[in-house]
Amino acid sequence: MESSIAQSIHRGFERESWEPVNNGSATSEDLFWKLDALQTFISDLHWPEEEFGKHLETRLKLMSSDMIESCIKRTREAFETKLQRSSRAIDFRVPQSICTMFNVMVDAKAQSAKLCAMDLGQERQYHSQIDHLIEETVKEMITLLVAKFVVILESVLSKLSRYDEGTLFSSFLSFTVKAASKYVDVPKP
């Protein structure tokens, strides 16, 4: 079952269109549904051997953590690719697919709390690593998006300052470009 879910994730992210579906994308929704269904099925079997039942539950929680980690990494890669392919023009609009990628991250955080949480020592640490990975990935995605907006803003201000040379507002636009350039090295017009 684990390899089947892993293959479906791999194939799903290769063909992902990043259209919004419920709380995320088609692949993420499918992944979370499969993991939840599998865990529910195993717990509903009520294994007569308690030790074996706990082992299966632990194994499923760890597998869920691995699958969610894979989903997070694939989403981040797709996010970076989407931002790199976007135009460098001043009319950049945030595509719906980028919003969907953020939704996948939010949904992954909620699902990891449900699918990966255990009260056993090492596994709890493993789950906290997934939470940390999600938080760091979201921070990186926000940083990349803000950097994209800064470059666009500086481009607009640069174009505006060329047309306002010698006017009263030219010093204002030059000041704005200079202040914004502390984040990104852009030559001052």
Side-chain angles (χ1 to χ4, degrees):
M1 200 62 187
E2 182 176 356
S3 64
S4 173
I5 294 173
Q7 286 175 358
S8 72
I9 291 172
H10 182 68
R11 277 185 260 123
F13 276 111
E14 286 177 348
R15 296 183 297 227
E16 184 63 64
S17 64
W18 296 105
E19 293 296 319
V21 176
N22 295 334
N23 296 329
S25 68
T27 304
S28 68
E29 286 295 311
D30 185 48
L31 167 68
F32 298 139
W33 180 84
K34 285 178 181 177
L35 292 173
D36 186 45
L38 183 60
Q39 286 187 10
T40 303
F41 174 73
I42 295 298
S43 69
D44 286 347
L45 289 177
H46 302 292
W47 295 96
E49 295 179 27
E50 189 175 319
E51 186 73 25
F52 184 67
K54 287 186 186 262
H55 170 73
L56 280 178
E57 181 182 337
T58 301
R59 181 71 183 114
L60 287 174
K61 300 282 185 182
L62 294 175
M63 180 187 78
S64 296
S65 293
D66 291 339
M67 299 293 175
I68 291 173
E69 180 180 353
S70 175
C71 176
I72 293 164
K73 289 179 179 178
R74 295 270 186 130
T75 303
R76 185 181 190 285
E77 289 170 8
F79 182 83
E80 287 179 358
T81 302
K82 188 73 170 176
L83 275 184
Q84 289 172 354
R85 288 183 185 165
S86 63
S87 75
R88 300 193 185 277
I90 58 174
D91 62 343
F92 177 72
R93 295 180 194 172
V94 177
Q96 183 178 15
S97 58
I98 290 199
C99 297
T100 301
M101 291 174 196
F102 276 108
N103 288 344
V104 167
M105 292 296 178
V106 171
D107 195 29
K109 177 86 168 163
Q111 293 293 332
S112 72
K114 180 174 118 179
L115 296 171
C116 306
M118 290 186 282
D119 291 330
L120 307 172
Q122 184 180 1
E123 288 79 10
R124 171 170 264 177
Q125 180 182 5
Y126 195 73
H127 173 65
S128 68
Q129 290 173 351
I130 291 294
D131 284 345
H132 180 70
L133 176 67
I134 293 170
E135 290 171 10
E136 289 301 313
T137 303
V138 168
K139 286 178 188 176
E140 291 170 4
M141 289 170 66
I142 290 170
T143 301
L144 289 171
L145 192 59
V146 168
K148 178 76 171 178
F149 287 136
V150 166
V151 168
I152 292 167
L153 177 64
E154 288 181 349
S155 174
V156 168
L157 292 175
S158 173
K159 288 181 182 184
L160 285 175
S161 69
R162 279 189 263 151
Y163 295 107
D164 285 340
E165 287 180 4
T167 65
L168 178 64
F169 291 111
S170 65
S171 61
F172 172 71
L173 291 174
S174 297
F175 171 75
T176 307
V177 171
K178 185 177 180 183
S181 67
K182 72 180 180 181
Y183 299 108
V184 179
D185 285 334
V186 175
K188 181 181 171 189

